[in-house]
Amino acid sequence: MTLTLIDRTRRTDDATDRGVAPEAATGPAPAQAPGAAPRRAAGREADGLAVASFVLGVVGLLAFNLLLGPAAIVMALLSLARRTRRPGRACLGLALGIADLVVLAVLVTVNGTVAWNFGV
């Protein structure tokens, strides 16, 4: 088996040196595992969800906290469930989403409205 792997590697290297596509030198490429490509896509998707939850949490502190807070929480939980490579960013998005809802609760309690009011 080792000899076969070395032989395939040599043929592939020789073919690329000559300008021939590696598939033409070794024949058709072996079939990949059915779950290989979707895992990479799911990993990048989970990373994107983590970043999106962080951004929505930050923006939600300033505006639209009624909508962006829960969206940040859901995206953070989804990215953590999908094993993101950015768990810190997902946790920050979760914390900021919760902070959005806390700010909303404070605004409703103090002003009786869901809008910011800096004036007198």
Side-chain angles (χ1 to χ4, degrees), residues 59-94:
V59 174
L61 286 174
L62 303 173
F64 301 117
N65 48 2
L66 180 63
L67 299 174
L68 297 182
I73 292 170
V74 168
M75 287 184 180
L77 292 175
L78 281 174
S79 67
L80 288 172
R82 294 180 183 180
R83 304 280 185 196
T84 182
R85 290 178 294 183
R86 300 175 185 238
R89 192 147 307 157
C91 290
L92 280 173
L94 180 64

Side-chain angles (χ1 to χ4, degrees), residues 22-51:
E23 293 82 23
T26 60
Q32 291 183 352
R39 279 190 195 141
R40 265 189 237 149
R44 288 198 313 194
E45 182 180 312
D47 292 345
L49 284 171
V51 172

